[in-house]
Amino acid sequence: MSKNRTTWTTEDLFIPGLAALLAVYYLYTVRGLPFLAQMYGGTLSILCLLCFGIVLYLYCSGRSSSGKTEPGNLSTFVAKYCRFIGLFVLTALFIGILPYAGYFLSVMFLGVSVAVWLGYSRKVSSLLKVGVGIALAGFVLFVLFLNVDLPLDGVSLFIKEAIQSCWK
Amino acid sequence: MLEMTIASLFTIAAYWWLIPVGVAVGIFVGAVPGFSSTNVLIMLLPLTLGMETNSAMAFMVSVYSGSHMGGSIPAVLFNVPGTGAAAATCFDGYPMTQQGRGQEALAIAFFASAIGGLLTTLVTWGCLPWLSRMVYYFGSIENFVIILFGVALIGQITGGNQFKGLMAGFFGLLIGAIGYDHVYSVPRATFGIVQLFDGVPRVSAIVGLFAVSEAFRMIEKDTVIDTSRLQSVLQEGWQGTLRGCVNSIKHIGAVVRSAFIGFIVGIIPGAGATIGSFVSYQQAMTLSKNREEFGRGSVEGVIAAEAANNGVTSGSLIPLLTLGIPGGGTAAVMMIVLQAHGVPIGPRLFQVMPQLAYAVVVAMLLAYIVMVAMGIPLAKSLARMSLVSTKILVPVIISFTLVGAFVERRFIFDMWLALGFGLLGYILKRTGYSPHALLLGVILGPMAEQYFLRAILLGNGNPMILFSRTLANILWVLLLCSLCAPVIMNKFRQKRRSE
């Protein structure tokens, strides 16, 4: 328990809540299994549920003693975290297009879009330099040097095969 | 022993250049989060299989040693551990970078890595035949207690709210329990996803919890370093490196202690450098007179983590060379190469070919000497990377580290998993929970369950089997002391202050 008399807010409930959800699902999936198969994960699930119960109790007792309620405002939340949300979406898009567009083009997309989103520059030439530079560095390191089997687009495949045939 | 060592030196002279090349490859690869010496050695198998046995082993141990030093570079500069073992280095290395002391932090990390590894390799060289006997005494019960040492750290390393640390640790342990059961092979909490049947991949967890989540946090500032310190970093010459070396020498006792903690953990097959570095960090925090500095840029914190994770590399050679037992992924790759060269694997290795064992140890000694010469002068140039704008750093970190998550199993799903862990890590940091505690749980959980179940099966379901062996009971007592020591020492310090 905290020695510092922490004030538990709604945000503090998220992680224990997630752990509790996973614990409930875990207990559901191990029902009917032999005791040894249930024992380890089952104990952890119960511990997580217990911790969630404790955090919930501390949160509720903190709210009832202070008498305050926190204002919930979606637009405030979005305004506070909009940069993060944008970056998360761009990263998800990068992973989504990677198998189809190939590593080089996907990284170019990520580099340019993140630079625009974070306000690096409005000049197309600067943005292209960032995108191509990051994509090239990754291509040389992972594809050519470390020989990682990444999805490649037509241009990258051609460059890779050309370099490998020169090497031979 | 001395004759074999001298003979080894003459053998190594023929391919001496493989050692600095191996160290350079290791440092480079270790610095890329998600990559490890295991990945690179697997990729370079066609090369090492074609080499002569001694030269292949010299190259591989150089890569292995160098990768642990390389892992500290992103850990110190960007709070992104290059290897799992460097996660403990982030605690104090990154705050030092934020304070404009990145060059000093890197010099301390490199010095502690190299000197810690060098000292423990000398011990390995001197005591190889005797230390090998230790491995026989460690079975499932003893290994379970060793893992518990790591689990017990979960509440202690968080620094702030211990209950939140424990909560994150339990959550991590539960995540680590996802996948097939080790005894009955039944899937648990896999959401019907085939890629989770083998459990949550550790690399995705490390990459997501640290690299991706740190990239999400970096966008709040223009540079990693506090703006007030930018000018001093730009004007700094070699002073940072010199300060780092001097500080490391002043704390040489901490270097030696941490290296030997890592060395002992390394001797135990399967324990791993992550446990070694965290145990060493916790011991350093307990024994330090300046405990409040830990987590805020403490020199001892960086030394403890880095000296230990290189002590593990030397220790892990002992079961490999004397008993043919690989302690981890990298050692397993070395075993493949040895088998391919017709070297007898198992306890006969040291009996039939002791000169090979000593040649490997001598190559590791030389690799650490090269690391001192190569690594420390790099601290100044590497520290400048922290001046790069976060608007460029963020896409670089994301694109590079997600490839690290992909490399292990070649599943795009692992990248999605890393992104999910990145979101989780971001929320953990925002709400005051410890991502380190969660990571410890994810890494140690499967190992703890495996050894626990084996021990219980050995005892036919009787849990008292866990207290049936002398060595295990000694370890239980040490574990109890380790848990009680911080509390007792805290009370002792408070009493002294009040007096």
Side-chain angles (χ1 to χ4, degrees):
Chain A
M1 296 281 184
S2 165
K3 290 180 185 173
N4 305 335
R5 294 192 182 274
T6 308
T7 309
W8 296 85
T9 63
T10 323
E11 285 179 348
D12 295 323
L13 287 175
F14 187 81
I15 296 296
L18 205 58
L21 280 172
L22 181 63
V24 167
Y25 178 63
Y26 191 95
L27 288 171
Y28 174 75
T29 59
V30 300
R31 74 193 191 290
L33 293 180
F35 178 65
L36 264 185
Q38 292 179 339
M39 185 167 48
Y40 176 79
T43 311
L44 286 170
S45 301
I46 291 165
L47 280 169
C48 286
L49 287 167
L50 204 65
C51 288
F52 175 65
I54 292 168
V55 173
L56 193 62
Y57 168 75
L58 290 169
Y59 169 71
C60 292
S61 57
R63 274 186 75 179
S64 58
S65 61
S66 68
K68 286 182 192 168
T69 52
E70 294 160 33
N73 191 333
L74 185 62
S75 55
T76 318
F77 176 84
V78 170
K80 191 176 171 190
Y81 293 108
C82 79
R83 278 185 126 200
F84 155 70
I85 294 168
L87 182 61
F88 181 83
V89 168
L90 289 171
T91 309
L93 280 171
F94 161 68
I95 301 172
I97 67 173
L98 178 64
Y100 308 103
Y103 180 72
F104 194 91
L105 290 175
S106 309
V107 173
M108 260 192 72
F109 161 77
L110 182 72
V112 169
S113 57
V114 169
V116 169
W117 179 248
L118 298 180
Y120 173 68
S121 172
R122 289 195 179 272
K123 285 187 197 168
V124 174
S125 56
S126 307
L127 293 171
L128 279 175
K129 274 182 205 168
V130 168
V132 171
I134 297 171
L136 207 58
F139 181 77
V140 167
L141 173 63
F142 296 119
V143 179
L144 296 181
F145 180 61
L146 292 171
N147 211 24
V148 178
D149 197 16
L150 285 163
L152 294 176
D153 49 278
V155 174
S156 313
L157 261 171
F158 174 75
I159 297 171
K160 182 184 172 189
E161 278 160 17
I163 291 172
Q164 282 174 347
S165 57
C166 289
W167 190 253
K168 282 174 195 167
Chain B
M1 185 175 83
L2 198 58
E3 293 142 1
M4 280 190 275
T5 307
I6 295 169
S8 307
L9 279 168
F10 281 107
T11 319
I12 288 168
Y15 50 85
W16 64 271
W17 55 273
L18 280 171
I19 293 173
V21 167
V23 168
V25 168
I27 291 175
F28 188 66
V29 158
V32 180
F35 271 79
S36 64
S37 51
T38 312
N39 296 127
V40 168
L41 289 181
I42 290 170
M43 285 174 205
L44 294 174
L45 258 180
L47 185 71
T48 47
L49 285 173
M51 288 178 181
E52 190 261 334
T53 316
N54 284 333
S55 49
M57 290 301 290
F59 178 71
M60 288 193 290
V61 295
S62 304
V63 171
Y64 187 31
S65 311
S67 68
H68 282 286
M69 180 191 257
S72 64
I73 298 169
V76 164
L77 296 178
F78 310 120
N79 202 26
V80 172
T83 57
T89 311
C90 295
F91 285 137
D92 287 285
Y94 186 59
M96 287 180 80
T97 299
Q98 289 178 309
Q99 293 160 16
R101 295 160 62 201
Q103 195 187 143
E104 182 188 341
L106 281 175
I108 292 168
F110 293 163
F111 187 94
S113 287
I115 301 301
L118 197 63
L119 289 171
T120 50
T121 309
L122 280 169
V123 172
T124 305
W125 170 75
C127 308
L128 201 54
W130 299 282
L131 287 170
S132 65
R133 288 173 204 158
M134 270 182 73
V135 183
Y136 285 120
Y137 293 101
F138 281 85
S140 295
I141 300 165
E142 290 78 11
N143 283 339
F144 174 64
V145 185
I146 295 284
I147 304 292
L148 282 185
F149 265 98
V151 172
L153 291 176
I154 284 171
Q156 294 184 31
I157 59 169
T158 55
N161 190 322
Q162 284 193 331
F163 179 68
K164 281 187 167 180
L166 274 172
M167 179 72 242
F170 289 147
F171 190 16
L173 286 167
L174 187 61
I175 292 173
I178 290 172
Y180 267 105
D181 170 63
H182 296 283
V183 177
Y184 298 98
S185 296
V186 288
R188 302 163 305 174
T190 57
F191 301 93
I193 300 171
V194 168
Q195 290 92 338
L196 287 178
F197 279 18
D198 274 335
V200 170
R202 285 153 49 146
V203 176
S204 295
I206 292 170
V207 163
L209 283 171
F210 291 94
V212 178
S213 68
E214 192 56 36
F216 290 159
R217 274 170 44 113
M218 262 185 200
I219 58 176
E220 292 159 16
K221 296 188 288 184
D222 285 331
T223 53
V224 162
I225 301 175
D226 289 339
T227 39
S228 56
R229 319 265 182 172
L230 269 176
Q231 209 49 43
S232 59
V233 172
L234 281 164
Q235 288 166 355
E236 194 178 43
W238 289 97
Q239 297 96 309
T241 304
L242 284 169
R243 218 168 32 240
C245 293
V246 166
N247 272 330
S248 303
I249 292 167
K250 277 186 190 168
H251 291 93
I252 196 70
V255 174
V256 174
R257 183 188 63 231
S258 305
F260 279 98
I261 290 174
F263 177 69
I264 290 169
V265 171
I267 293 176
I268 304 159
T274 309
I275 298 177
S277 60
F278 275 97
V279 169
S280 169
Y281 186 86
Q282 187 260 347
Q283 294 300 318
M285 196 162 65
T286 306
L287 297 169
S288 172
K289 291 173 192 167
N290 307 307
R291 204 178 167 198
E292 59 285 346
E293 282 179 27
F294 278 75
R296 294 193 176 92
S298 164
V299 168
E300 288 174 90
V302 177
I303 286 173
E306 283 301 306
N309 75 37
N310 274 83
V312 167
T313 55
S314 318
S316 64
L317 284 183
I318 292 169
L320 172 67
L321 297 174
T322 59
L323 299 172
I325 302 172
T330 310
V333 176
M334 292 185 199
M335 289 278 291
I336 293 168
V337 174
L338 287 172
Q339 264 184 315
H341 283 96
V343 173
I345 301 302
R348 287 185 63 233
L349 189 156
F350 192 65
Q351 288 160 13
V352 171
M353 298 181 73
Q355 66 278 12
L356 171 64
Y358 282 107
V360 170
V361 174
V362 168
M364 191 173 245
L365 268 172
L366 293 172
Y368 279 118
I369 294 170
V370 167
M371 271 164 66
V372 174
M374 202 185 266
I376 292 174
L378 283 177
K380 183 181 167 216
S381 356
L382 286 170
R384 295 291 171 123
M385 281 166 45
S386 57
L387 296 170
V388 174
S389 167
T390 53
K391 292 162 188 155
I392 310 279
L393 268 181
V394 163
V396 171
I397 289 173
I398 290 175
S399 58
F400 280 32
T401 57
L402 286 177
V403 171
F406 173 83
V407 160
E408 201 182 357
R409 304 192 302 174
R410 306 287 197 269
F411 292 151
I412 296 286
F413 175 79
D414 289 349
M415 286 187 169
W416 287 112
L417 206 55
L419 180 63
F421 272 109
L423 177 62
L424 183 62
Y426 182 74
I427 295 169
L428 282 164
K429 289 173 188 175
R430 276 261 168 237
T431 51
Y433 289 89
S434 169
H436 292 90
L438 193 134
L439 179 71
L440 263 183
V442 172
I443 290 175
L444 298 181
M447 290 157 69
E449 185 187 10
Q450 194 177 6
Y451 288 126
F452 175 71
L453 285 176
R454 276 192 208 159
I456 294 294
L457 284 171
L458 278 169
N460 293 319
N462 182 4
M464 292 314 291
I465 185 85
L466 296 172
F467 306 98
S468 61
R469 285 161 61 117
T470 315
L471 180 58
N473 290 337
I474 293 170
L475 290 171
W476 280 117
V477 169
L478 286 172
L479 175 64
L480 209 61
C481 293
S482 167
L483 287 170
C484 299
V487 176
I488 294 168
M489 291 193 73
N490 224 14
K491 287 213 159 108
F492 181 66
R493 282 191 193 115
Q494 278 172 0
K495 197 177 171 187
R496 280 185 77 177
R497 270 191 221 126
S498 58
E499 279 169 8

